[in-house]
Amino acid sequence: MDFGVVLQTNPPASRTVHLATLAEQFGFSHVWTFDSHLLWQEPYVIHSAILNATKRVKVGPFVTNPATRDWTVTASVFATLNEMYGNRTVCGIGRGDSSVRVTNGEPTTLKILRESIQVIRELANSRSVEYNGATLRFPWSVGSSLEMWVAAYGPLALKLTGEVADGFILQLADPDITEWMIATVRSAAANVGRNPDDITICVAAPAYVTDGSDAGLAHAREQSRWFGGMVGNHVADIVAKYGTGSAGSNRAVPRALTDYIAGRESYDYNEHGRAGNTHAAFVPDEIVDRFCVLGSPADHADKLQRLQALGVDQFAIYLQHDNKEETLRAYGETIIPFLRETVTAKS
């Protein structure tokens, strides 16, 4: 299993770069950032600084969208970064949440998402593409390589992911829901003749390492409760479209995902992704425990092994809490080595 870290681009930008370099030192393979240009600093500028300060990690948005930037501009950013730093970028993309809703916009349609993936992928891979009635290509780009990873929850978005994505981003770490979603993505891939195993599976969630005490767990929950509120935005969209139901029907969504938002009343994007925010009180402890990875290092290893057995290739830590450096250290010194294949010098 690979490991990534998801950072907010809060000022100063040097702090984000510092955390990215720590992540590389502790064995993380990917550094991701939020992409919401009003709430935080512009991520692609900071991506360039991260790539310049590191040697191995891949860097990308978690996640961008088709609405807030021209697709050709997005592709140009990735192709340029790849030319500068040697194909160390990856593009996480979805329909859009905070970046579009803060400007009173709406998430894009899946049709637009599909089209944007095609345009960005082809241009950023040094190939030509049809766009707005013209055949376009970057004449200066040679040998650029970019994978497109799609963030999805609902049945139709999962279907699109299986059909076109290089990777699947699932923003929660509940094993039961993860199993259903991976199966849905892989089934969609097989139905269009793709090898389902070619799609990288990335689960992302807050991870908080504690001393194993009840008090430590209680604190970790309060630092991570915001995540259930953020996921609730997407779940609310799903419920509005599909209603609630069991996983047994053809297009239904697991009740394990939908039921908890019954008490959701509002959401303040000014506190988006922030520990201790005021709009996540409706999220029960059970959901925090299921959606996040909390507890002692042994608790983390146990849950991650369960996810790995389901086919998860990468676990990406949302590092939006008060224990950032210590979390990276605990993972780098204890949890990542435990989950890596043991290689001995002599057998």
Side-chain angles (χ1 to χ4, degrees):
M1 179 182 282
D2 287 333
F3 290 85
V5 61
V6 186
L7 306 172
Q8 283 178 343
T9 53
N10 292 304
S14 58
R15 167 83 163 138
T16 306
V17 176
H18 168 68
L19 290 171
T21 60
L22 276 183
E24 179 174 77
Q25 291 167 18
F26 282 124
F28 288 75
S29 63
H30 288 68
V31 173
W32 306 91
T33 71
F34 282 54
D35 178 13
S36 198
H37 56 289
L38 284 170
L39 297 179
W40 304 292
Q41 292 179 316
E42 169 57 35
Y44 294 129
V45 176
I46 297 173
H47 289 177
S48 187
I50 291 172
L51 288 163
N52 188 58
T54 57
K55 293 181 173 63
R56 297 180 305 278
V57 291
K58 288 193 173 183
V59 178
F62 211 88
V63 296
T64 192
N65 67 86
T68 54
R69 308 172 197 273
D70 184 274
W71 308 342
T72 64
V73 173
T74 299
S76 182
V77 168
F78 286 110
T80 301
L81 290 174
N82 283 340
E83 190 278 327
M84 294 173 68
Y85 301 108
N87 287 337
R88 290 170 52 205
T89 64
V90 58
C91 181
I93 192 167
R95 294 174 57 220
D97 182 31
S98 62
S99 55
V100 294
R101 285 178 159 134
V102 168
T103 57
N104 292 331
E106 295 290 337
T108 65
T109 65
L110 291 175
K111 179 177 183 294
I112 289 176
L113 177 59
R114 183 187 295 266
E115 292 170 353
S116 72
I117 291 168
Q118 171 72 3
V119 170
I120 295 168
R121 173 192 276 137
E122 294 307 297
L123 287 175
N125 280 278
S126 303
R127 298 189 291 260
S128 62
V129 71
E130 297 300 313
Y131 180 69
N132 284 347
T135 301
L136 304 180
R137 183 169 182 170
F138 298 139
W140 45 265
S141 177
V142 179
S144 177
S145 178
L146 178 73
E147 290 189 350
M148 301 294 294
W149 293 20
V150 177
Y153 290 105
L156 292 179
L158 294 170
K159 179 176 179 290
L160 178 150
T161 302
E163 291 172 350
V164 304
D166 299 301
F168 166 43
I169 295 172
L170 171 57
Q171 296 169 88
L172 54 80
D174 178 272
D176 293 335
I177 297 173
T178 298
E179 183 176 20
W180 176 80
M181 290 197 173
I182 291 176
T184 303
V185 168
R186 286 179 169 168
S187 175
N191 287 341
V192 294
R194 299 185 68 195
N195 182 351
D197 293 334
D198 288 344
I199 302 172
T200 302
I201 307 296
C202 174
V203 160
Y208 201 109
V209 182
T210 75
D211 59 4
S213 67
D214 291 342
L217 179 59
H219 180 74
R221 284 171 175 158
E222 291 313 310
Q223 288 290 304
S224 306
R225 198 175 303 276
W226 65 268
F227 184 66
M230 186 187 81
V231 174
N233 293 331
H234 304 285
V235 175
D237 289 341
I238 292 170
V239 169
K241 184 175 181 64
Y242 299 103
T244 59
S246 68
S249 58
N250 186 37
R251 294 179 59 191
V253 180
R255 297 184 69 104
L257 178 61
T258 59
D259 282 0
Y260 86 97
I261 69 162
R264 179 180 183 269
E265 295 180 352
S266 62
Y267 192 88
D268 183 358
Y269 278 97
N270 289 309
E271 297 183 312
H272 186 58
R274 184 185 302 173
N277 65 36
T278 60
H279 54 252
F282 74 94
V283 181
D285 287 351
E286 177 194 2
I287 289 296
V288 179
D289 292 347
R290 286 170 52 187
F291 283 15
C292 304
V293 183
L294 313 175
S296 69
D299 294 327
H300 284 244
D302 178 67
K303 188 165 189 176
L304 292 174
Q305 283 181 313
R306 293 174 63 195
L307 292 169
Q308 188 176 37
L310 296 174
V312 174
D313 300 299
Q314 180 182 146
F315 175 58
I317 297 173
Y318 273 107
L319 206 64
Q320 286 69 56
H321 53 56
D322 63 0
N323 208 28
K324 295 178 176 62
E325 282 87 353
E326 176 57 22
T327 299
L328 294 175
R329 186 200 65 79
Y331 264 75
E333 295 183 357
T334 304
I335 298 167
I336 292 176
F338 180 83
L339 287 162
R340 288 267 165 85
E341 181 182 357
T342 301
V343 178
T344 59
K346 183 177 181 179
S347 59

XYZ file of all heavy atoms in Angstrom, residues 18-104:
685
model
N 6.819 22.752 3.772
C 7.516 22.050 4.861
C 6.857 20.710 5.158
O 7.537 19.677 5.289
C 7.523 22.926 6.112
C 7.942 22.213 7.355
N 9.226 21.746 7.574
C 7.222 21.861 8.465
C 9.292 21.151 8.752
N 8.096 21.202 9.314
N 5.536 20.689 5.280
C 4.830 19.440 5.555
C 5.010 18.450 4.408
O 5.125 17.243 4.635
C 3.346 19.723 5.798
C 3.014 20.461 7.106
C 1.545 20.888 7.117
C 3.314 19.589 8.323
N 5.041 18.954 3.191
C 5.251 18.075 2.037
C 6.637 17.427 2.085
O 6.783 16.231 1.797
C 5.082 18.869 0.743
N 7.654 18.186 2.445
C 8.995 17.610 2.528
C 9.085 16.600 3.664
O 9.752 15.569 3.531
C 10.051 18.711 2.717
O 9.789 19.442 3.924
C 10.052 19.667 1.529
N 8.402 16.870 4.779
C 8.361 15.891 5.868
C 7.704 14.597 5.404
O 8.170 13.500 5.724
C 7.593 16.462 7.059
C 8.334 17.346 8.052
C 7.396 17.728 9.194
C 9.581 16.674 8.589
N 6.612 14.735 4.658
C 5.909 13.550 4.164
C 6.835 12.703 3.310
O 6.868 11.471 3.435
C 4.671 13.972 3.368
N 7.595 13.325 2.436
C 8.533 12.564 1.614
C 9.575 11.874 2.483
O 9.902 10.699 2.277
C 9.219 13.466 0.599
C 10.218 12.702 -0.271
C 10.808 13.546 -1.388
O 11.693 14.368 -1.093
O 10.366 13.380 -2.542
N 10.106 12.583 3.473
C 11.121 12.001 4.352
C 10.587 10.786 5.111
O 11.339 9.849 5.395
C 11.625 13.059 5.337
C 12.448 14.161 4.698
C 12.672 15.337 5.631
O 12.515 15.217 6.840
N 13.032 16.477 5.068
N 9.293 10.797 5.425
C 8.707 9.702 6.182
C 8.121 8.607 5.292
O 7.436 7.710 5.774
C 7.647 10.232 7.145
C 8.228 10.851 8.381
C 7.916 12.154 8.740
C 9.091 10.133 9.199
C 8.443 12.722 9.888
C 9.625 10.694 10.348
C 9.308 11.999 10.697
N 8.364 8.659 3.987
C 8.009 7.554 3.118
C 6.688 7.664 2.390
O 6.239 6.689 1.778
N 6.053 8.817 2.409
C 4.813 9.009 1.658
C 5.142 9.153 0.167
O 6.150 9.752 -0.203
C 4.067 10.244 2.154
C 3.442 10.083 3.508
C 4.211 10.103 4.662
C 2.073 9.892 3.634
C 3.637 9.944 5.919
C 1.490 9.734 4.876
C 2.271 9.758 6.027
N 4.275 8.611 -0.665
C 4.520 8.644 -2.109
C 3.814 9.792 -2.812
O 4.204 10.174 -3.920
C 4.067 7.327 -2.745
O 2.660 7.143 -2.576
N 2.764 10.334 -2.197
C 1.966 11.377 -2.836
C 1.713 12.531 -1.855
O 1.461 12.292 -0.664
C 0.613 10.835 -3.301
C 0.691 9.934 -4.493
N 1.273 8.683 -4.451
C 0.249 10.094 -5.780
C 1.190 8.117 -5.644
N 0.567 8.947 -6.466
N 1.746 13.729 -2.380
C 1.331 14.925 -1.646
C 0.212 15.587 -2.434
O 0.407 15.981 -3.588
C 2.490 15.912 -1.444
C 1.985 17.215 -0.831
C 3.577 15.301 -0.561
N -0.949 15.648 -1.834
C -2.125 16.240 -2.460
C -2.476 17.550 -1.747
O -2.124 17.735 -0.586
C -3.330 15.304 -2.341
C -3.149 13.915 -2.843
C -2.733 12.815 -2.139
C -3.428 13.435 -4.171
N -2.723 11.691 -2.930
C -3.155 12.040 -4.184
C -3.891 14.044 -5.341
C -3.325 11.260 -5.308
C -4.061 13.266 -6.470
C -3.781 11.888 -6.449
N -3.197 18.438 -2.436
C -3.703 19.637 -1.771
C -5.159 19.885 -2.173
O -5.595 19.513 -3.265
C -2.904 20.907 -2.145
O -3.184 21.262 -3.504
C -1.416 20.722 -1.931
N -5.892 20.538 -1.280
C -7.208 21.058 -1.640
C -7.050 22.018 -2.821
O -5.981 22.603 -3.033
C -7.792 21.840 -0.468
C -8.365 21.005 0.647
C -7.619 20.019 1.276
C -9.649 21.238 1.111
C -8.138 19.272 2.318
C -10.190 20.504 2.155
C -9.432 19.518 2.764
N -8.118 22.185 -3.591
C -8.145 23.179 -4.673
C -9.425 23.982 -4.531
O -10.475 23.595 -5.054
C -8.071 22.506 -6.051
C -8.156 23.527 -7.195
O -8.027 24.734 -6.915
O -8.340 23.118 -8.349
N -9.351 25.073 -3.787
C -10.494 25.961 -3.605
C -9.926 27.372 -3.478
O -9.495 27.795 -2.408
C -11.292 25.564 -2.354
O -12.576 26.118 -2.372
N -9.911 28.091 -4.583
C -9.081 29.277 -4.739
C -9.504 30.466 -3.887
O -8.698 31.383 -3.685
C -9.054 29.686 -6.217
C -10.424 29.923 -6.790
N -11.314 28.894 -7.029
C -11.057 31.060 -7.155
C -12.432 29.390 -7.532
N -12.310 30.688 -7.608
N -10.730 30.488 -3.409
C -11.150 31.570 -2.514
C -10.861 31.240 -1.050
O -10.472 32.113 -0.275
C -12.648 31.867 -2.692
C -13.006 32.655 -3.950
C -14.512 32.685 -4.150
C -12.480 34.086 -3.854
N -11.051 29.995 -0.678
C -10.860 29.609 0.717
C -9.388 29.523 1.093
O -9.013 29.813 2.233
C -11.535 28.265 0.988
C -13.058 28.231 0.822
C -13.589 26.833 1.091
C -13.725 29.246 1.758
N -8.555 29.112 0.136
C -7.128 28.924 0.417
C -6.284 29.450 -0.741
O -6.814 29.879 -1.751
C -6.823 27.438 0.660
C -7.662 26.865 1.751
C -7.599 27.158 3.090
C -8.733 25.932 1.608
N -8.557 26.458 3.783
C -9.267 25.691 2.900
C -9.302 25.260 0.527
C -10.329 24.827 3.133
C -10.355 24.400 0.747
C -10.860 24.193 2.037
N -4.970 29.378 -0.563
C -4.073 29.877 -1.596
C -4.081 28.978 -2.833
O -4.420 27.804 -2.764
C -2.654 29.977 -1.034
C -2.507 31.050 0.042
C -1.098 31.115 0.597
O -0.481 30.097 0.871
N -0.579 32.321 0.772
N -3.689 29.569 -3.955
C -3.668 28.870 -5.244
C -2.745 27.655 -5.182
O -1.539 27.769 -4.964
C -3.205 29.834 -6.334
C -2.886 29.197 -7.661
C -4.050 28.419 -8.251
O -5.211 28.847 -8.076
O -3.797 27.393 -8.884
N -3.295 26.451 -5.392
C -2.491 25.245 -5.172
C -1.385 25.016 -6.189
O -0.306 24.545 -5.834
C -3.522 24.116 -5.230
C -4.647 24.663 -6.049
C -4.694 26.127 -5.722
N -1.617 25.341 -7.454
C -0.629 24.973 -8.459
C 0.679 25.739 -8.303
O 1.754 25.228 -8.623
C -1.204 25.147 -9.864
C -2.332 24.195 -10.179
C -3.545 24.647 -10.679
C -2.176 22.833 -9.967
C -4.577 23.765 -10.970
C -3.204 21.946 -10.250
C -4.407 22.406 -10.743
O -5.426 21.531 -11.017
N 0.596 26.966 -7.807
C 1.817 27.708 -7.511
C 2.605 26.983 -6.431
O 3.833 26.821 -6.517
C 1.479 29.140 -7.061
C 2.747 29.882 -6.653
C 0.743 29.900 -8.155
N 1.884 26.515 -5.413
C 2.530 25.805 -4.303
C 3.009 24.429 -4.756
O 4.044 23.933 -4.289
C 1.565 25.732 -3.109
C 1.255 27.155 -2.627
C 2.152 24.895 -1.977
C 0.194 27.237 -1.559
N 2.293 23.787 -5.670
C 2.764 22.505 -6.208
C 4.154 22.644 -6.809
O 5.018 21.768 -6.648
C 1.795 21.993 -7.282
C 0.486 21.530 -6.737
N -0.543 21.097 -7.543
C 0.022 21.429 -5.467
C -1.573 20.756 -6.795
N -1.248 20.955 -5.539
N 4.394 23.728 -7.516
C 5.707 23.930 -8.118
C 6.779 24.027 -7.034
O 7.869 23.448 -7.162
C 5.703 25.204 -8.972
O 6.915 25.340 -9.681
N 6.473 24.725 -5.944
C 7.435 24.851 -4.850
C 7.667 23.505 -4.170
O 8.800 23.180 -3.780
C 6.940 25.883 -3.843
N 6.606 22.712 -4.015
C 6.750 21.384 -3.409
C 7.632 20.495 -4.279
O 8.544 19.817 -3.797
C 5.368 20.735 -3.191
C 4.590 21.481 -2.103
C 5.516 19.252 -2.822
C 3.144 21.026 -1.966
N 7.366 20.493 -5.566
C 8.147 19.663 -6.476
C 9.612 20.083 -6.478
O 10.519 19.248 -6.573
C 7.556 19.740 -7.885
C 6.227 19.005 -8.070
C 5.524 19.478 -9.334
C 6.431 17.500 -8.108
N 9.845 21.373 -6.358
C 11.224 21.871 -6.335
C 11.952 21.469 -5.050
O 13.171 21.283 -5.058
C 11.232 23.390 -6.472
C 12.624 23.959 -6.643
O 13.325 23.596 -7.576
N 13.030 24.838 -5.749
N 11.189 21.312 -3.951
C 11.792 21.009 -2.654
C 11.884 19.513 -2.368
O 12.453 19.121 -1.350
C 10.984 21.687 -1.545
N 11.317 18.696 -3.249
C 11.313 17.243 -3.041
C 11.935 16.547 -4.243
O 12.231 17.178 -5.261
C 9.881 16.729 -2.829
O 9.076 17.100 -3.967
C 9.264 17.307 -1.551
N 12.103 15.238 -4.112
C 12.747 14.484 -5.192
C 11.884 13.360 -5.763
O 12.061 12.973 -6.903
C 14.064 13.872 -4.698
C 15.150 14.878 -4.378
C 16.413 14.181 -3.936
C 17.575 15.170 -3.774
N 17.311 16.156 -2.728
N 10.955 12.822 -4.959
C 10.263 11.602 -5.387
C 8.739 11.711 -5.397
O 8.100 11.067 -6.217
C 10.662 10.434 -4.461
C 12.129 10.071 -4.512
C 12.446 8.919 -3.573
N 12.033 9.188 -2.193
C 12.753 9.900 -1.338
N 13.914 10.400 -1.698
N 12.317 10.129 -0.106
N 8.158 12.430 -4.460
C 6.703 12.407 -4.333
C 6.012 12.928 -5.581
O 6.524 13.815 -6.273
C 6.225 13.234 -3.110
C 6.628 12.556 -1.814
C 6.721 14.671 -3.174
N 4.832 12.363 -5.842
C 3.951 12.894 -6.871
C 3.008 13.893 -6.209
O 2.616 13.728 -5.052
C 3.163 11.780 -7.552
C 4.012 10.921 -8.473
C 3.159 10.032 -9.355
C 4.019 9.308 -10.383
N 3.184 8.482 -11.298
N 2.625 14.908 -6.971
C 1.873 16.032 -6.415
C 0.648 16.300 -7.285
O 0.714 16.196 -8.515
C 2.760 17.290 -6.339
C 1.976 18.485 -5.811
C 3.979 17.030 -5.459
N -0.478 16.642 -6.646
C -1.667 16.964 -7.416
C -2.787 17.510 -6.558
O -2.709 17.520 -5.323
N -3.879 17.968 -7.194
C -5.026 18.516 -6.470
C -5.963 17.409 -5.992
O -6.137 16.396 -6.662
C -5.719 19.381 -7.526
C -5.405 18.670 -8.816
C -4.025 18.083 -8.650
N -6.589 17.649 -4.843
C -7.478 16.663 -4.231
C -8.751 17.375 -3.743
O -8.912 17.589 -2.548
C -6.744 16.036 -3.030
C -7.103 14.608 -2.717
C -6.436 13.569 -3.324
C -8.075 14.302 -1.784
C -6.721 12.247 -3.003
C -8.380 13.000 -1.467
C -7.693 11.966 -2.075
N -9.633 17.753 -4.665
C -9.560 17.539 -6.102
C -9.913 18.840 -6.817
O -10.555 19.720 -6.258
C -10.518 16.422 -6.582
C -10.106 15.091 -5.980
C -11.976 16.737 -6.206
N -9.500 18.929 -8.102
C -9.903 20.044 -8.927
C -11.246 19.711 -9.581
O -11.864 18.681 -9.286
C -8.822 20.387 -9.962
O -9.128 21.657 -10.553
C -8.704 19.318 -11.051
N -11.709 20.566 -10.478
C -13.021 20.380 -11.095
C -13.016 21.028 -12.472
O -12.114 21.790 -12.805
C -14.103 20.997 -10.211
C -13.984 22.505 -10.157
O -14.499 23.224 -11.007
N -13.257 23.014 -9.149
N -14.022 20.752 -13.303
C -14.046 21.321 -14.661
C -14.576 22.738 -14.741
O -14.546 23.337 -15.825
C -15.002 20.377 -15.419
C -15.242 19.212 -14.518
C -15.050 19.712 -13.131
N -15.078 23.300 -13.626
C -15.831 24.548 -13.698
C -15.003 25.801 -13.465
O -15.285 26.849 -14.055
C -16.981 24.512 -12.680
N -14.003 25.750 -12.606
C -13.338 26.978 -12.177
C -12.124 27.351 -13.026
O -11.564 28.428 -12.841
C -12.895 26.866 -10.708
O -12.089 25.696 -10.532
C -14.096 26.786 -9.788
N -11.688 26.462 -13.923
C -10.555 26.757 -14.798
C -10.866 26.219 -16.202
O -11.493 25.185 -16.341
C -9.275 26.086 -14.307
C -8.915 26.347 -12.862
C -7.740 25.473 -12.437
N -7.621 25.396 -10.993
C -6.947 26.257 -10.253
N -6.321 27.261 -10.844
N -6.885 26.131 -8.943
N -10.369 26.911 -17.197
C -10.432 26.354 -18.552
C -9.634 25.057 -18.574
O -8.527 24.975 -18.022
C -9.856 27.351 -19.551
C -9.981 26.858 -20.981
O -9.069 26.118 -21.423
O -10.979 27.178 -21.637
N -10.178 24.039 -19.221
C -9.540 22.716 -19.201
C -8.162 22.744 -19.840
O -7.254 22.035 -19.402
C -10.422 21.705 -19.919
C -11.831 21.677 -19.436
C -12.319 22.175 -18.246
C -12.960 21.141 -20.129
N -13.674 21.971 -18.156
C -14.099 21.349 -19.303
C -13.124 20.519 -21.369
C -15.380 20.933 -19.678
C -14.400 20.105 -21.749
C -15.506 20.310 -20.908
N -7.993 23.557 -20.872
C -6.689 23.620 -21.529
C -5.648 24.281 -20.629
O -4.459 23.949 -20.698
C -6.773 24.361 -22.871
O -7.154 25.731 -22.643
C -7.785 23.713 -23.802
N -6.081 25.218 -19.791
C -5.167 25.842 -18.837
C -4.723 24.816 -17.796
O -3.544 24.718 -17.453
C -5.831 27.054 -18.155
C -4.938 27.597 -17.044
C -6.129 28.145 -19.179
N -5.680 24.033 -17.287
C -5.342 22.979 -16.325
C -4.335 22.007 -16.927
O -3.332 21.647 -16.299
C -6.609 22.224 -15.897
O -7.500 23.137 -15.262
C -6.283 21.098 -14.938
N -4.591 21.584 -18.153
C -3.662 20.657 -18.816
C -2.293 21.280 -18.991
O -1.255 20.614 -18.814
C -4.229 20.238 -20.170
N -2.248 22.562 -19.330
C -0.974 23.248 -19.526
C -0.172 23.304 -18.236
O 1.062 23.164 -18.250
C -1.217 24.662 -20.056
O 0.003 25.332 -20.303
N -0.852 23.501 -17.110
C -0.165 23.515 -15.816
C 0.548 22.186 -15.582
O 1.740 22.140 -15.234
C -1.156 23.796 -14.672
C -0.506 23.519 -13.318
C -1.642 25.231 -14.724
N -0.168 21.083 -15.779
C 0.423 19.768 -15.531
C 1.562 19.466 -16.506
O 2.609 18.942 -16.112
C -0.646 18.680 -15.603
C -1.552 18.656 -14.413
C -2.879 19.036 -14.523
C -1.085 18.260 -13.166
C -3.716 19.027 -13.426
C -1.913 18.243 -12.066
C -3.240 18.624 -12.195
N 1.363 19.776 -17.776
C 2.411 19.514 -18.757
C 3.654 20.336 -18.455
O 4.791 19.866 -18.638
C 1.898 19.806 -20.164
N 3.459 21.562 -17.987
C 4.594 22.413 -17.630
C 5.323 21.876 -16.408
O 6.566 21.788 -16.382
C 4.126 23.858 -17.372
O 3.482 24.368 -18.536
C 5.305 24.751 -17.004
N 4.574 21.503 -15.370
C 5.199 20.935 -14.170
C 5.949 19.648 -14.507
O 7.045 19.393 -13.976
C 4.144 20.667 -13.107
C 3.510 21.897 -12.447
C 2.379 21.476 -11.517
C 4.543 22.717 -11.682
N 5.389 18.843 -15.387
C 6.069 17.602 -15.776
C 7.360 17.885 -16.521
O 8.369 17.185 -16.340
C 5.144 16.737 -16.632
C 4.097 16.024 -15.801
O 4.245 15.862 -14.598
N 3.028 15.588 -16.453
N 7.358 18.905 -17.367
C 8.594 19.262 -18.070
C 9.641 19.764 -17.084
O 10.843 19.467 -17.215
C 8.295 20.334 -19.126
C 9.436 20.616 -20.088
C 10.478 21.575 -19.512
O 10.084 22.472 -18.722
O 11.673 21.418 -19.830
N 9.210 20.479 -16.076
C 10.145 21.057 -15.112
C 10.677 20.024 -14.117
O 11.853 20.070 -13.740
C 9.465 22.191 -14.335
C 9.106 23.404 -15.172
S 8.124 24.611 -14.229
C 9.333 25.187 -13.034
N 9.799 19.073 -13.714
C 10.153 18.204 -12.594
C 10.070 16.707 -12.895
O 10.203 15.888 -12.002
C 9.266 18.530 -11.385
C 9.403 19.962 -10.938
C 8.375 20.878 -11.167
C 10.568 20.408 -10.318
C 8.504 22.200 -10.768
C 10.703 21.727 -9.916
C 9.664 22.619 -10.138
O 9.811 23.930 -9.754
N 9.834 16.357 -14.162
C 9.961 14.959 -14.537
C 8.780 14.068 -14.235
O 8.928 13.058 -13.548
N 7.603 14.398 -14.759
C 6.417 13.529 -14.654
C 6.124 13.093 -13.220
O 6.011 11.913 -12.913
C 6.580 12.302 -15.565
C 6.437 12.649 -17.032
O 5.824 13.664 -17.382
N 7.003 11.836 -17.891
N 5.982 14.084 -12.352
C 5.674 13.810 -10.947
C 4.348 14.439 -10.544
O 4.172 14.855 -9.401
C 6.804 14.314 -10.049
C 8.104 13.494 -10.168
C 9.257 14.162 -9.457
N 8.896 14.503 -8.086
C 9.465 15.485 -7.386
N 10.393 16.253 -7.948
N 9.093 15.720 -6.143
N 3.398 14.500 -11.467
C 2.092 15.049 -11.151
C 1.007 14.014 -11.369
O 1.173 13.057 -12.128
C 1.767 16.284 -12.006
O 1.693 15.905 -13.378
C 2.813 17.375 -11.811
N -0.116 14.221 -10.701
C -1.314 13.411 -10.878
C -2.495 14.341 -10.665
O -2.427 15.264 -9.838
C -1.333 12.221 -9.894
C -1.249 12.686 -8.456
C -2.571 11.348 -10.108
N -3.561 14.143 -11.406
C -4.717 15.043 -11.325
C -5.906 14.339 -10.698
O -6.479 13.421 -11.288
C -5.099 15.556 -12.711
S -6.504 16.703 -12.681
N -6.269 14.760 -9.493
C -7.532 14.340 -8.906
C -8.619 15.311 -9.327
O -8.431 16.532 -9.267
N -9.754 14.808 -9.778
C -10.807 15.674 -10.304
C -12.174 15.130 -9.926
O -12.372 13.919 -9.792
C -10.675 15.807 -11.845
C -11.575 16.929 -12.383
C -10.953 14.480 -12.556
C -11.264 17.314 -13.829
N -13.119 16.041 -9.721
C -14.505 15.678 -9.436
C -15.427 16.735 -9.998
O -14.996 17.635 -10.735
N -16.685 16.660 -9.634
C -17.676 17.589 -10.172
C -17.571 18.984 -9.572
O -18.065 19.951 -10.145
C -19.090 17.032 -9.939
C -19.392 15.760 -10.704
C -20.762 15.198 -10.306
N -21.803 16.192 -10.531
C -22.829 16.399 -9.702
N -22.943 15.695 -8.590
N -23.734 17.311 -9.982
N -16.912 19.102 -8.407
C -16.766 20.409 -7.767
C -17.606 20.520 -6.518
O -18.763 20.096 -6.486
N -17.010 21.071 -5.467
C -17.736 21.300 -4.217
C -17.470 22.728 -3.748
O -18.053 23.675 -4.262
C -17.334 20.263 -3.164
C -18.099 20.423 -1.852
O -19.260 20.874 -1.895
O -17.544 20.113 -0.791
N -16.548 22.921 -2.823
C -16.357 24.241 -2.227
C -15.963 25.298 -3.246
O -16.419 26.445 -3.181
C -15.309 24.174 -1.117
O -14.053 23.788 -1.619
N -15.119 24.932 -4.192
C -14.626 25.922 -5.151
C -15.740 26.510 -6.004
O -15.665 27.671 -6.416
C -13.558 25.304 -6.046
O -14.051 24.149 -6.678
N -16.782 25.725 -6.278
C -17.892 26.245 -7.081
C -19.023 26.756 -6.202
O -19.687 27.741 -6.538
C -18.421 25.179 -8.073
C -17.373 24.857 -9.107
C -18.878 23.918 -7.371
N -19.247 26.144 -5.062
C -20.375 26.550 -4.223
C -20.120 27.868 -3.504
O -21.054 28.626 -3.229
C -20.702 25.433 -3.232
C -21.428 24.257 -3.911
C -21.726 23.129 -2.961
N -22.808 22.296 -3.466
C -22.791 20.968 -3.497
N -21.727 20.314 -3.062
N -23.816 20.288 -3.975
N -18.865 28.171 -3.199
C -18.554 29.459 -2.573
C -18.877 30.610 -3.519
O -19.225 31.712 -3.094
C -17.068 29.497 -2.140
C -16.644 30.909 -1.757
C -16.853 28.567 -0.946
N -18.804 30.364 -4.818
C -19.142 31.390 -5.808
C -20.587 31.262 -6.292
O -20.934 31.777 -7.363
C -18.183 31.310 -7.006
O -18.237 29.992 -7.563
C -16.759 31.610 -6.590
N -21.408 30.540 -5.495
C -22.830 30.331 -5.811
C -23.043 29.531 -7.089
O -24.078 29.657 -7.752
C -23.588 31.663 -5.898
C -23.709 32.345 -4.558
O -23.738 31.687 -3.516
N -23.769 33.668 -4.564
